Amino acid sequence: MAAALAVAAASACGSGSAAVAEGDPILVSVSIAAPSAAPIFLAETLGYFKEEGLDVEVREIANASLQVATGQVQYGAVNTNTLMQSASEDIGLQGVCVTQVDPSYVLAVSDDTWNRRGLTESMSLKDQLTALQGEQITAVGGRTVNPGAKLLEALLEKNGLPGDWIGVLSMAGASQATAAFQNKQVGVIFQPQPQPDQVLSHVPGRILYSIGDSPLFSEMDNVAWSTIATSAKFAAANPDMTKKFCNAIGRANNFLDDNPDGAAEALKSVMPVDPEILKNAMPTYKWARDGSMSESDFFHGVEVLTGMGMFDQAPSPDSTRAAYTAAYQN
């Protein structure tokens, strides 16, 4: 929440609607070069942005919401958790099209943890989770802000266990989180692919559970997990640009859904992942068709995420309406 307050303070100093100067590229932020940001990288690699007449520059920026909300960066990949927390501070950050839906997180353990905790293949998921009491996962930003950490809490609670049954060790970045597993600082990982496969390629272990294959999270079908966000003022001042941007993202989403192998091939030069691991990871992601989602469907998804405890503060109807619009989608 401190990050959201910082954004709010910064927003008071800037309009968030500054036009892109002639000759300057449209700046787009991603937090990390990972499959979650694939639509942006793919739209750039396959020329979708250029075909829309957009000159785009993608930058890796740790705190995307800060620069996007203040208009320093025109568009950014923002997960719904961050979007709604920012909306509660009324800073003008707005989702304009949807990227990932139906998140697929994987729970895996090292062989050392498997043996030390007495896990067996015949155990139910609940029994395996019960045996992991006191173990820790790593999460960038920690329990209060990391959506994966909150999703783990929901998984534990769905199995009748307290949300803090497995602890959360806060890390500053993904590389530190991977190193913690490799150094046996933690023995459990709960991340989307390709992180689990990457880690297990260095540290022997096994996958226990995948949300994407489980009926436990069926309520998350078609729930927006991440969006393309911008300043609401910038979008209103540049509607044609925003529509073109969303159109390019929608084309990339469709390519990712229809041809995940081709997407992996196109992305291998921009993502620091073993090409075979990346190829195996891409089909585990689901994307909003055409980048589109109705406002009512988005609002329903926020209600689902709220019911799962994904937000520190339940979003109000007004903040939810301010946080997302389908006005710039085709």
Side-chain angles (χ1 to χ4, degrees):
M1 188 59 68
L5 289 171
V7 176
S11 293
C13 302
S15 70
S17 61
V20 179
E22 186 176 354
D24 287 348
I26 299 165
L27 300 182
V28 185
S29 64
V30 299
S31 60
I32 187 173
S36 58
I40 290 174
F41 285 111
L42 197 63
E44 182 183 37
T45 300
L46 296 183
Y48 295 158
F49 287 134
K50 287 186 177 179
E51 289 174 13
E52 293 291 336
L54 304 177
D55 177 18
V56 164
E57 179 182 329
V58 180
R59 293 183 181 177
E60 289 185 42
I61 304 174
N63 187 357
S65 58
L66 175 61
Q67 289 84 347
V68 174
T70 56
Q72 300 171 60
V73 173
Q74 282 73 52
Y75 302 97
V78 176
N79 63 58
T80 300
N81 183 277
T82 298
L83 180 67
M84 297 312 303
Q85 288 194 0
S86 298
S88 69
E89 302 299 327
D90 192 25
I91 63 172
L93 189 69
Q94 185 175 61
V96 291
C97 45
V98 177
T99 49
Q100 188 186 357
V101 294
D102 311 351
S104 179
Y105 274 64
V106 170
L107 180 70
V109 300
S110 64
D111 280 351
D112 177 71
T113 301
W114 174 273
N115 294 325
R116 178 165 45 81
R117 291 290 183 165
L119 298 173
T120 67
E121 296 284 359
S122 62
M123 281 181 167
S124 66
L125 173 63
K126 180 176 181 178
D127 287 343
Q128 290 177 333
L129 291 171
T130 300
L132 292 174
Q133 181 182 17
E135 292 288 339
Q136 290 182 308
I137 66 163
T138 57
V140 177
R143 184 186 297 276
T144 59
V145 300
N146 187 284
K150 292 180 177 291
L151 204 53
L152 177 63
E153 290 183 10
L155 172 62
L156 291 166
E157 291 168 357
K158 283 175 178 287
N159 282 276
L161 298 171
D164 60 356
W165 192 257
I166 295 175
V168 177
L169 184 62
S170 179
M171 289 285 167
S175 60
Q176 293 94 327
T178 299
F181 193 94
Q182 293 174 338
N183 297 332
K184 298 185 178 181
Q185 188 177 359
V186 298
V188 181
I189 187 170
F190 189 66
Q191 293 283 348
Q193 293 289 17
Q195 287 94 330
D197 281 350
Q198 280 184 296
V199 170
L200 296 181
S201 69
H202 296 285
V203 179
R206 61 190 76 196
I207 290 174
L208 301 184
Y209 170 80
S210 174
I211 283 181
D213 301 329
S214 171
L216 273 179
F217 287 87
S218 60
E219 72 269 33
M220 294 191 73
D221 289 349
N222 201 43
V223 167
W225 188 247
S226 58
T227 70
I228 297 298
T230 185
S231 158
K233 290 182 179 179
F234 181 85
N238 301 274
D240 290 342
M241 179 188 297
T242 302
K243 287 179 181 178
K244 291 176 180 179
F245 195 93
C246 283
N247 190 49
I249 291 297
R251 292 176 64 189
N253 281 5
N254 296 349
F255 190 94
L256 284 157
D257 265 342
D258 296 340
N259 190 2
D261 286 355
E265 180 67 24
L267 293 169
K268 68 180 182 181
S269 64
V270 296
M271 293 192 180
V273 180
D274 177 274
E276 192 62 28
I277 291 178
L278 181 61
K279 182 178 179 181
N280 292 334
M282 295 314 302
T284 68
Y285 286 76
K286 296 180 182 178
W287 311 95
R289 198 74 187 173
D290 300 321
S292 298
M293 179 174 287
S294 70
E295 290 168 8
S296 60
D297 282 347
F298 181 86
F299 299 162
H300 171 71
V302 170
E303 291 176 355
V304 170
L305 295 176
T306 300
M308 293 171 60
M310 294 297 296
F311 311 120
D312 289 337
Q313 178 181 342
S316 69
D318 285 345
S319 66
T320 303
R321 283 190 290 270
Y324 178 80
T325 179
Y328 306 105
Q329 298 168 16
N330 292 324

